[in-house]
Amino acid sequence: MPDPPAAEDAASPAAPAAPASDLAAIAAIPTRPLADALAMIDQRFDTAEMLDRSVGIDQVADYYRQSDRGYRLFHSREGALHIALDCDGHRDASGYPRQAEIFTEHLDAIGARRAIELGCGMGYNTRWLAACQPRRRFVGLDLTEPHIRYARQHAAGLANAEFRRGNYESLPDADASYDAALAVETLCQTPSLGRALREACRVLRPGGRLVVVDCFRRAPLDRYDAPTQRAARLVEKATAVDAFAVVDDWIATAAGVGLQLVEARDLSGRTRQNLARLHGLASRFFGLPLAARAMTRAFPAKLLENSVCGLLMPYTVGGGAHTYQAITVEKR
């Protein structure tokens, strides 16, 4: 595979690249060539159908309906649906609040009193924030009723946490209702990024901030070789994403609706332990045909497709095609 684009070509100074040594450590996770990994996936899944698949709101809801049990079984018993960031070079359960900790920095910076989490999933971040910051009020909003039901059940005693079902492309709140908003690994799934960002901007007060922690394409995929392009697209489709946004394009879209860049942090290097663990699980699935056939009978199809993401992300992140960023924008 050729070298990824140089940092100055792949992203502007506003979206700095992770250190090359961090990406090299991620790229070293797999023990087989990318071509072999893609061939293994082709044997187990209809990859042509996956790549041609359209992803909309209904497909996103169905993805979580089929995958939630697996997330709790294989990922986080506490209901975290996002990546755990490395802590001092290690991955453990304490890595799941790191995205909420970044959000807290911005809550403190602007003196926020009321905040909303868009696409809160099972409520992990909102619950953590409410427990740690009792003087602030938090609203979690999610598309699916099972997520909201789970979040409410596990938020007992948190008087400053509220959970609602809804679509963040059409929020029920009045203008300037919130001081801050958080979106972790969810805006990548919206069919209309511009509409979602306009709604976030509308419900923020002037000077309010939106913190987005998500996966992006570092550069247009045509800058990469064909196997890397294919791997990147399979990762995206396997996680109910039509296509990750190119990070600089995302920042430009936010600016176009009135959300000015405050900072962008490349957190890709801090995903290494989580990606290594998921790659190991996926490798066992693909490497044990009898067990894979048994799992195919026992688990929903969309849950099993997560193994595609687990197998391939060390290649796409380590190779620079995908990047994990915390981007903060502010309402003008």
Side-chain angles (χ1 to χ4, degrees):
M1 182 179 71
D3 292 336
E8 63 269 23
D9 293 331
S12 71
S21 58
D22 289 349
L23 297 185
I26 293 171
I29 291 171
T31 58
R32 59 176 61 85
L34 174 56
D36 291 352
L38 290 170
M40 292 171 66
I41 293 169
D42 286 336
Q43 291 175 356
R44 182 60 52 190
F45 292 99
D46 183 350
T47 52
E49 185 278 329
M50 290 179 66
L51 292 171
D52 288 341
R53 183 183 300 164
S54 296
V55 180
I57 291 295
D58 291 344
Q59 287 72 35
V60 171
D62 189 51
Y63 167 80
Y64 285 109
R65 180 184 63 79
Q66 295 191 35
S67 297
D68 282 347
R69 181 164 64 104
Y71 271 103
R72 292 195 297 273
L73 182 63
F74 299 112
H75 189 62
S76 164
R77 294 180 181 177
E78 292 76 29
L81 301 180
H82 56 272
I83 290 173
L85 297 177
D86 297 356
C87 308
D88 300 321
H90 302 283
R91 178 216 171 261
D92 57 34
S94 65
Y96 287 115
R98 298 307 177 205
Q99 291 87 341
E101 289 176 352
I102 293 171
F103 187 50
T104 299
E105 295 174 23
H106 292 282
L107 296 178
D108 293 341
I110 63 173
R113 305 300 298 171
R114 192 162 188 260
I116 184 170
E117 182 181 8
L118 308 174
C120 69
M122 298 183 201
Y124 179 92
N125 293 311
T126 300
R127 289 183 280 120
W128 187 90
L129 288 160
C132 294
Q133 302 171 63
R135 295 186 179 182
R136 289 174 169 142
R137 296 198 61 80
F138 298 92
V139 174
L141 179 134
D142 196 80
L143 187 64
T144 72
E145 183 60 36
H147 283 175
I148 295 303
R149 186 166 55 248
Y150 182 98
R152 288 171 177 165
Q153 289 172 351
H154 289 79
L158 294 174
N160 61 328
E162 176 186 354
F163 293 95
R164 306 173 184 167
R165 182 181 179 186
N167 185 339
Y168 50 65
E169 291 183 7
S170 181
L171 294 168
D173 304 280
D175 296 357
S177 295
Y178 298 100
D179 302 304
L182 173 67
V184 178
E185 299 181 26
T186 182
L187 289 185
C188 61
Q189 293 178 315
T190 178
S192 178
L193 177 62
R195 185 181 303 136
L197 290 175
R198 278 192 297 273
E199 275 295 272
C201 184
R202 181 183 66 78
V203 301
L204 286 173
R205 64 161 171 84
R209 292 184 180 180
L210 167 65
V211 177
V212 174
V213 188
D214 218 330
C215 294
F216 299 87
R217 294 177 179 179
R218 175 163 293 286
L221 287 187
D222 60 11
R223 298 197 188 182
Y224 298 88
D225 62 20
T228 301
Q229 291 183 41
R230 189 164 187 266
R233 293 175 61 220
L234 284 170
V235 165
E236 293 162 6
K237 296 293 188 178
T239 51
V241 175
D242 196 56
F244 290 154
V246 175
V247 62
D248 283 352
D249 293 346
W250 191 101
I251 292 170
T253 300
V257 303
L259 294 168
Q260 176 131 20
L261 182 67
V262 174
E263 68 168 7
R265 305 184 197 179
D266 192 329
L267 304 175
S268 303
R270 296 182 62 188
T271 66
R272 184 174 67 87
Q273 293 297 327
N274 204 122
L275 294 186
R277 176 177 174 273
L278 295 176
H279 182 78
L281 288 171
S283 295
R284 288 194 287 276
F285 171 77
F286 285 103
L288 298 171
L290 292 178
R293 282 196 286 272
M295 292 183 71
T296 300
R297 292 191 293 270
F299 291 102
K302 295 294 188 296
L303 171 58
L304 293 177
E305 286 182 5
N306 281 279
S307 64
V308 174
C309 178
L311 193 70
L312 294 179
M313 279 201 81
Y315 300 97
T316 63
V317 176
H322 284 155
T323 175
Y324 193 71
Q325 300 260 342
I327 300 177
T328 302
V329 290
E330 184 174 281
K331 184 173 182 177
R332 295 169 184 163

